[in-house]
Amino acid sequence: MNDLKLFSGRAHPELAQRMCDYLGLPLGRLAVSDFPDGEIACKIEEDVRGRDVFIIQPTCTPVNKSLMELLILIDCFRRASAERITAVIPYFGYARQDRKDEGRVPITAKLVANLITEAGASRVLTMDLHAAQIQGFFDIPVDHLYASPVVDEHFLNMGLPENDLVVVSPDEGSIKRALWHVRQLGGQLAIIDKRRTSAESTQQANVIGDSVEGKTAVIFDDMISTAGSICGAADMAHKHGARQIFLAATHGVLCGGAIERIKSAPIKRLVITDTVPLAPEKNISLIEVLSVAPLLGEAIKRIHRNESVSRLFV
Ligand code: R5P
């Protein structure tokens, strides 16, 4: 893997290092800094001509800076004559505006896809996109990974009996994901009837499907932003008599009052992954972080060797 090189922007260097550890490669040398007015400067400190380059940068908080930095890094590697540039975006921000569901609104997911392509990315590697169809917003190859093997293994190791388990989808958009977890973990399926009242708030109206009464409820979502959706789902499961409740999500964005909501939710634990960094003040004992670095690292190895990535998920 001599011509394979991994570089990290400033969004999540710890994850990039974990991926390098998995691959047994050193992290590429790259200096990124800010000009006094906030513009971003960068310089690659090693030769990348003709190399297969992977740039690791989740577009997480500070979202606009992380995104702009990714674009500048792609441009930098293109001008340094890298043979192929893969943008590794473990958390793809701006994904929630993926269609015009009312008049006079943007489609930010498409805009971001255009920007990444125009900057010079050859391909994209990402994980648990908010909507799978965002892959189609790109005209370059996109490898879309799922954190579910990592998260499901965690719950399987807990030995939750199948006849005691109900997988809960926090809204109708997550039913497909919940069904996948039912296939892996067993148990039954319940769906929360969630209505979004604004960008920051949701209302949970009912539980549809199998009963959670007296059962262990595991609620899976793709991301937790303000935690209104998943904690609202937990409250609803609790009201309907769930005996114990676990929460799980791939992307722990955890902004606004998320931590306070999680602290007062009727839950045993929240499981997230390391697609975005968890600030020390948010690292409370209720939260357990699983690493997806080996999964991302394995995908990078397979992309580099032209091997199947989808086989990771069968
Ligand atoms: C919604 O469609 C998503 O799957 C998440 O449930 C939502 O984006 C989480 O946002 P929040 O934590 O602010 O409710």
Side-chain angles (χ1 to χ4, degrees):
M1 296 199 289
N2 277 348
D3 59 345
L4 167 62
K5 283 184 183 278
L6 272 66
F7 291 86
S8 178
R10 289 177 294 179
H12 200 354
E14 300 82 9
L15 174 65
Q17 187 57 58
R18 281 173 214 138
M19 289 157 69
C20 284
D21 293 346
Y22 174 82
L23 290 165
L25 291 174
L27 190 56
R29 284 179 288 118
L30 173 69
V32 190
S33 58
D34 291 328
F35 286 110
D37 63 356
E39 289 183 1
I40 296 164
C42 71
K43 180 167 170 60
I44 308 160
E45 297 184 318
E46 58 188 273
D47 181 23
V48 293
R49 187 175 292 274
R51 305 303 166 94
D52 190 12
V53 167
F54 290 76
I55 305 171
I56 297 135
Q57 179 86 332
T59 48
C60 55
T61 311
V63 180
N64 298 329
K65 188 165 188 176
S66 298
L67 173 61
M68 193 64 206
E69 190 170 289
L70 173 63
L71 300 174
I72 290 170
L73 291 176
I74 295 170
D75 181 76
C76 184
F77 280 93
R78 182 168 59 93
R79 292 176 195 282
S81 302
E83 173 69 21
R84 183 170 72 167
I85 301 166
T86 302
V88 182
I89 313 172
Y91 167 68
F92 186 94
Y94 275 119
R96 282 179 290 179
Q97 295 174 77
D98 61 351
R99 65 192 180 285
K100 280 187 77 167
D101 52 2
E102 57 179 316
R104 302 191 295 277
V105 295
I107 304 182
T108 57
K110 173 63 179 155
L111 172 65
V112 170
N114 287 348
L115 290 169
I116 290 168
T117 309
E118 198 54 38
S122 323
R123 53 192 305 135
V124 168
L125 172 61
T126 189
M127 183 168 266
D128 281 314
L129 285 167
H130 179 64
Q133 59 270 23
I134 292 170
Q135 292 167 80
F137 293 180
F138 288 91
D139 284 327
I140 53 175
V142 176
D143 287 298
H144 183 202
L145 308 185
Y146 304 94
S148 45
V150 176
V151 177
D152 287 335
E153 190 189 5
H154 175 84
F155 282 105
L156 283 170
N157 288 341
M158 284 171 62
L160 302 171
E162 281 191 36
N163 59 4
D164 176 53
L165 181 67
V166 183
V167 171
V168 180
S169 173
D171 52 38
E172 107 247 352
S174 302
I175 296 175
K176 216 172 147 196
R177 184 179 313 109
L179 280 169
W180 167 275
H181 292 294
V182 171
R183 276 198 294 279
Q184 305 306 310
L185 304 175
Q188 293 174 306
L189 174 72
I191 300 145
I192 304 289
D193 176 8
K194 172 181 115 175
R195 320 266 167 102
R196 187 162 280 287
T197 43
S198 75
E200 298 84 32
S201 60
T202 56
Q203 260 177 8
Q204 285 66 24
N206 210 344
V207 182
I208 303 164
D210 290 306
S211 169
V212 294
E213 193 172 350
K215 300 280 179 74
T216 296
V218 187
I219 308 175
F220 292 98
D221 211 342
D222 60 328
M223 64 182 287
I224 301 176
S225 182
T226 64
S229 301
I230 207 159
C231 290
D235 285 340
M236 193 48 80
H238 182 65
K239 215 163 95 189
H240 281 72
R243 188 169 49 78
Q244 55 177 354
I245 300 166
F246 295 92
L247 308 181
T250 304
H251 312 296
V253 174
L254 305 178
C255 59
I259 293 296
E260 292 316 311
R261 271 191 200 97
I262 290 161
K263 278 183 183 162
S264 50
I267 60 166
K268 288 212 83 147
R269 189 170 305 167
L270 162 63
V271 174
I272 55 174
T273 79
D274 58 355
T275 56
V276 298
L278 184 64
E281 68 276 12
K282 295 181 184 170
N283 200 352
I284 57 173
S285 58
L286 264 177
I287 299 181
E288 187 156 355
V289 184
L290 310 178
S291 184
V292 287
L295 189 55
L296 286 160
E298 182 61 28
I300 287 175
K301 190 163 83 186
R302 285 167 182 246
I303 292 167
H304 178 66
R305 293 179 171 171
N306 282 326
E307 293 172 359
S308 168
V309 171
S310 53
R311 279 220 195 110
L312 285 170
F313 298 97
V314 289

